[in-house]
Amino acid sequence: MKRATIGDVAADAGVSTATVSRVLNGGAVTEATATRVWEAVARLEYTPNALTKGVFAGSSSTIGVVIRDLSSPFYLDLIRGVDEVAAANDSLVMLANTFRRVDREVAQVRTMDEQRVRGLIVTTGEATDGRTRRMAGNGTPCVIVARSVRDAPPGLHSITLDDVEAGRLMAAHLAECGRSSIGVVSSGRRPSQIRRTAGLRRALAGLGSPLREDAVAVAESEEDVSAAVDGLLARGRDRGEPLDAIVCTTGRLTVAVHSALITRGIAIPGDLAFVTMDDFPWAAALGITVVAQPSYQMGLKAAELIVDRPGGPVALVFAPTLVARASCGERRTA
């Protein structure tokens, strides 16, 4: 069955296409004319062309979201929050996954600009900052998540976690559980990773258990985790201070780190305590202690900044929460 056009509606209602357009867009027409047009729309099951409408309006009703890696539980809840606000404001979400590749980040942000999205939410690195600044300057609100922005212009916002506090929470909890020889698996040089490790290091120093420089191993991907864990364990043994805890500063590597420990016959928490970032259903099933990010709420707020369009740049910092379970040898009370 052929899709009805605006011309079909105009013919059925006995008016011009311009009149139909005015009715659909809330323009001034007589009540009788508006009634005829809406009856024709219902009769023909006419659906307006949002793409054409966007061309004339200069922007679409779509909120663009560029994600670094959909395998991370953080991003899944973030998208859920964005989608809820988008749906409540008659918008769709256009999602792009960059697979952590800088060239794809740049290309996807450019594509979102070309699509004239209503607003853009990104979790990309600094390579895309030039484009997002231009978009904000041209009237398209942009929100950078998980990274702050220096000297942001109006329309360019940021949403971050208090990553230093996340590290402090990990250190304090491990100390409460009697752990003092700690190794860290980090995923790279992202600002969030650096801040979490810095917060952990600062808190451990204050607790009298300083984190050694060689106690931090970088694993860029899941394939690097095995070697990182082996290196941390070996260095602990070599200096006569076997590790009694492993911290993972990113939820993306949780499965790989946990698996690496289990396959080596290491009992959690009997031999080693384990604490990681980001909460998700199976973490509770396995009793893993985590520092949770309010990623759903962060997604809600990011989308609200797109919809509400505040005048100046907005920089929001969310607080992390420790979810204590059993992986650090927590003492349970009756």
Side-chain angles (χ1 to χ4, degrees):
M1 186 175 180
K2 186 173 78 73
R3 185 193 299 271
T5 67
I6 192 171
D8 296 331
V9 174
D12 189 89
V15 298
S16 67
T17 56
T19 298
V20 174
S21 180
R22 280 199 298 275
V23 171
L24 296 178
N25 290 286
V29 297
T30 66
E31 183 177 346
T33 298
T35 298
R36 290 206 312 276
V37 169
W38 285 119
E39 287 176 347
V41 166
R43 197 160 38 245
L44 298 174
E45 297 183 350
Y46 171 70
T47 302
N49 188 327
L51 181 60
T52 301
K53 183 178 179 180
V55 170
F56 285 103
S59 67
S60 73
S61 61
T62 302
I63 296 176
V65 182
V66 179
I67 296 297
R68 298 192 83 213
D69 189 350
L70 278 175
S71 68
S72 169
F74 169 78
Y75 295 128
L76 297 179
D77 277 344
L78 180 82
I79 294 167
R80 192 164 59 88
V82 172
D83 187 65
E84 182 166 321
V85 173
N89 288 274
D90 299 320
S91 285
L92 292 174
V93 175
M94 181 187 296
L95 178 65
N97 184 20
T98 69
F99 300 96
R100 309 183 73 83
R101 286 173 43 188
V102 174
D103 60 332
R104 286 182 63 90
E105 291 180 1
V106 173
Q108 296 289 11
V109 170
R110 182 181 66 246
T111 298
M112 294 293 183
D113 191 12
E114 292 170 349
Q115 293 292 321
R116 297 296 188 265
V117 292
R118 177 179 186 176
L120 179 64
I121 298 168
V122 298
T123 64
T124 56
E126 295 181 358
T128 62
D129 283 0
R131 174 73 67 166
T132 54
R133 286 177 181 274
R134 287 195 296 275
M135 290 177 69
N138 290 330
T140 302
C142 298
V143 184
I144 294 177
V145 178
R147 184 168 59 84
S148 58
V149 185
R150 292 182 180 178
D151 302 319
L156 180 58
H157 316 295
S158 66
I159 290 179
T160 59
L161 183 76
D162 187 341
D163 292 300
V164 172
E165 174 64 7
R168 190 200 68 78
L169 287 173
M170 289 176 165
H173 186 69
L174 289 171
E176 289 173 2
C177 294
R179 312 291 174 145
S180 59
S181 182
I182 297 165
V184 179
V185 178
S186 173
S187 69
R189 304 307 176 191
R190 290 269 288 180
S192 60
Q193 300 293 303
I194 294 171
R195 289 194 298 268
R196 288 169 197 169
T197 303
L200 179 73
R201 187 184 300 279
R202 186 183 307 164
L204 288 174
L207 293 166
S209 302
L211 184 69
R212 297 176 64 99
E213 289 298 327
D214 63 356
V216 179
V218 173
E220 296 285 355
S221 68
E222 288 83 352
E223 290 73 23
D224 301 329
V225 166
S226 183
V229 168
D230 280 339
L232 289 173
L233 295 174
R235 287 192 288 274
R237 288 193 301 268
D238 291 345
R239 63 175 178 254
E241 298 176 10
L243 298 183
D244 59 15
I246 289 280
V247 169
C248 182
T249 60
T250 172
R252 183 173 63 89
L253 297 181
T254 297
V255 175
V257 175
H258 188 269
S259 297
L261 296 174
I262 297 301
T263 56
R264 284 156 178 75
I266 296 171
I268 300 173
D271 297 325
L272 277 177
F274 179 57
V275 59
T276 188
M277 285 294 303
D278 298 328
D279 202 11
F280 29 94
W282 65 262
L286 293 177
I288 297 176
T289 294
V290 303
V291 170
Q293 302 189 62
S295 50
Y296 172 70
Q297 288 76 15
M298 293 165 83
L300 286 175
K301 180 52 68 174
E304 287 171 359
L305 288 171
I306 298 297
V307 172
D308 296 341
R309 302 175 67 92
V314 175
L316 300 176
V317 181
F318 283 74
T321 303
L322 180 84
V323 182
R325 295 192 173 104
S327 63
C328 297
E330 288 83 350
R331 297 181 181 87
R332 297 297 181 183
T333 57

